[in-house]
Amino acid sequence: MPSVLITGSNRGLGLEFARQYAAAGWRVFATCRNPAEAADLRAIADRHPQVSLHALDVTDAASVSACATELAGQALDLLLLNSAWLAPQRGQRLDGLDWQFFARSFEVNATGPMRVLERFLPLVERGGQKKIVFLGSAASSNGLLRPPVNLYAYRASKAATHLLARSLALDLAPRGVHVGLVNPGLADTRGLLALGPDDKPPEDMAPIVALVRAGVIQLITAEEAVRGMIRVIDRLDASSAGQFINYDGSVLPW
Ligand SMILES: NC(=O)c1ccc[n+]([C@@H]2O[C@H](COP(=O)([O-])OP(=O)(O)OC[C@H]3O[C@@H](n4cnc5c(N)ncnc54)[C@H](OP(=O)(O)O)[C@@H]3O)[C@@H](O)[C@H]2O)c1
């Protein structure tokens, strides 16, 4: 039975990864900040006995250490670094930058995954597949950057994640560990696809909803995004490690 540890698996894409890997028969170590409040994740574990919940806050060294100690002795086929923080739009524009948003974005999105990776690498090296996958973002690709430019803290912190993933792919290749970076596409983790044409979107999502309604961008479901990313992760090997790969399998520019 292959095994995966997922960060931020209580909602959004992390929850969907837990659901799909559990349904495929994987041993799932589903981590999140507050397992006691993770009702949707608990429901998955109730249906699949090979799913267990574990507390893990990627910004808290003591929490990461406690989880690594709890799971010491396990082998991981896949370490899935999914958790992230998308700070509110307000505070991420040039006319009103919030420096606490900047600091926290880097802490959650770049430092956090690296901290988890450092502690869990021995478990991955004991696993059969030896894969580590970061969730990247097309919004942080230099090659894809177009106006309107916004989300300064999120884009910059995820760009740091991208560089970490690429550096680690080179650094860990000689040890037989494949490090990947995947982009989910624009996946609906906020219930936007359920909005009717006259429904008012949440303030923070209004710009995205306007573009979706104008047909400029297309939202996909979390289910579709994760199904595609799992296919990409299944194929991850020495030749695709270090590439930035979209959920549909296409290679994206850095
Ligand atoms: N959805 C998209 O269209 C899209 C596009 C590009 C990239 N991505 C990337 O895909 C990944 C998942 O996105 P999403 O839309 O599912 O995000 P999301 O719905 O905002 O969920 C974020 C997850 O990260 C967790 N998290 C936040 N801070 C954490 C911390 N300090 N320690 C541990 N977990 C923490 C959250 O837990 P709490 O509930 O405790 O806050 C939550 O489970 C992210 O890396 C994101 O950058 C998403």
Side-chain angles (χ1 to χ4, degrees):
M1 187 192 292
S3 58
V4 56
L5 184 146
I6 308 167
T7 63
S9 60
N10 55 308
R11 63 185 169 96
L13 299 177
L15 180 69
E16 185 60 29
F17 271 120
R19 185 176 290 127
Q20 293 195 24
Y21 275 120
W26 282 52
R27 170 76 176 95
V28 180
F29 299 98
T31 75
C32 60
R33 290 194 286 184
N34 296 305
E37 292 169 16
D40 293 338
L41 193 54
R42 178 80 49 198
I44 295 173
D46 287 346
R47 283 195 304 278
H48 300 279
Q50 83 282 14
V51 176
S52 54
L53 275 60
H54 307 270
L56 178 60
D57 180 334
V58 303
T59 64
D60 179 350
S63 165
V64 175
S65 201
C67 187
T69 302
E70 187 185 344
L71 300 183
Q74 299 284 351
L76 288 177
D77 288 278
L78 170 63
L79 175 62
L80 193 44
L81 299 164
N82 161 81
S83 57
W85 185 53
L86 173 60
Q89 301 249 357
R90 164 190 51 78
Q92 293 202 72
R93 297 195 191 98
L94 203 47
D95 58 2
L97 292 171
D98 183 320
W99 295 108
Q100 288 183 353
F101 286 4
F102 247 84
R104 183 155 181 82
S105 296
F106 275 85
E107 187 58 31
V108 178
N109 300 345
T111 314
M114 191 69 184
R115 184 184 283 119
V116 173
L117 185 146
E118 184 202 27
R119 288 305 308 262
F120 284 86
L121 180 57
L123 281 68
V124 173
E125 291 198 282
R126 272 200 297 277
Q129 299 187 21
K130 296 184 179 34
K131 293 179 183 176
I132 299 174
V133 171
F134 288 79
L135 268 281
S137 175
S140 299
S141 153
N142 274 310
L144 297 173
L145 193 58
R146 306 275 180 279
V149 177
N150 52 14
L151 300 175
Y152 274 95
Y154 177 75
R155 287 178 191 265
S157 61
K158 285 300 246 190
T161 317
H162 290 189
L163 194 79
L164 287 173
R166 198 163 191 195
S167 306
L168 286 156
L170 296 172
D171 203 9
L172 294 177
R175 290 158 70 168
V177 177
H178 307 315
V179 180
L181 179 70
V182 293
N183 177 58
L186 198 52
D188 183 21
T189 50
R190 299 286 185 275
L192 302 181
L193 286 169
L195 291 175
D198 300 323
D199 290 339
K200 195 168 178 292
E203 188 192 331
D204 233 35
M205 294 291 137
I208 290 178
V209 172
L211 292 173
V212 172
R213 285 177 173 162
V216 176
I217 54 175
Q218 215 190 344
L219 267 181
I220 57 173
T221 63
E223 193 275 334
E224 183 181 358
V226 168
R227 195 165 10 94
M229 287 189 285
I230 286 180
R231 215 175 293 129
V232 170
I233 294 168
D234 279 347
R235 291 188 195 134
L236 178 66
D237 61 11
S239 66
S240 57
Q243 291 184 328
F244 182 25
I245 305 183
N246 203 22
Y247 76 100
D248 61 7
S250 57
V251 177
L252 297 173
W254 284 94

